Amino acid sequence: MKKLIYSLIICLMIVTGRLSAQEGKFEYLFNDFQKSLIYYKDGRVFGVKVNYNLARNAFMFIDENDNNNIKLFAEPDMVRILKIDNRIFQLDSKGLAQEVLNQEPYLVVTYRGKSRPQGKQVGYGGRSETAAVDSYSSLQSRGHSYNLETEKIILADIEKRYTIKKNKKQKQFQSSKQFLKLYPAEQEEAIKRYIKNNKINFDEPQQVLQLVKYAETL
C-alpha cells in the first residue's frame, strides 16, 4: 500500500512538472524593454524604454526618473505611433498593439494575448480558478498610471490578426483559408502552392509579409 501511494505521488509530481513547463508563455512581446520614441497626437514626443505586455494587452514603460518603476501609459488614446528600433507600432480602437509591417502592399499585424488568472495553488499542484486572488490595479498620479501588481496571470495564447487593403477596403485574416478568400479563384492554386513550397507559418509576420507581396504580383 505504501509503495502504491509513493508511486502515485511520484506520478503526480511528474505530471505537475510537465504542466508547469507547458502552461503560460513569455508575457512580453520583446525579450527586453526597448528604447523607443512615443509620438502623441498633440505633438509631444517622449523617449522611453517600452515593452508590450501580452498578458494585459498594454504597452508599459520604465520610468527612469522614478526608480525604474514599470508603468502604464496614462493616455493611450493620445498615442499616435511608437517607433521601436526600425519597427513602427500604433494602437487600435481597443488599445491593442498593431505593427505596421509594410505600406505598399499594406500589411498590419495586431497582437492580442489571451490570458487567465493563475489561480490559487491547491493539493498536488492543482489550481483553483475560482479561488480568491488579488487584482491588478493602477493608481493615477501626475498624468501617469502606476501599475500595482498583485495578481498572477497566465498567458495562454497569442493571437496575430493581419489586415491588408483590397479595393481600398481593409480585410482581415488569421489563416491560409481566410487569406485565400481575399483573392480571385483563378489565383488560388498559385497562392496555395506558394504557401506549401515556402512552408508559410501564419504565426510569423515576416513570412506572411512575403506571402502578401507574392499574392499582390499575381
Side-chain angles (χ1 to χ4, degrees), residues 182-195:
L182 302 179
Y183 290 86
E186 59 268 24
Q187 297 177 358
E188 183 174 325
E189 286 305 316
I191 295 174
K192 277 185 177 179
R193 190 162 51 250
Y194 183 92
I195 291 173

Side-chain angles (χ1 to χ4, degrees), residues 87-106:
R87 301 170 68 176
I88 297 177
F89 291 82
Q90 57 195 25
L91 300 178
D92 73 0
S93 59
K94 296 181 180 179
L96 299 177
Q98 290 186 320
E99 182 177 2
V100 181
L101 298 172
N102 207 57
Q103 288 290 352
E104 190 60 44
Y106 180 81

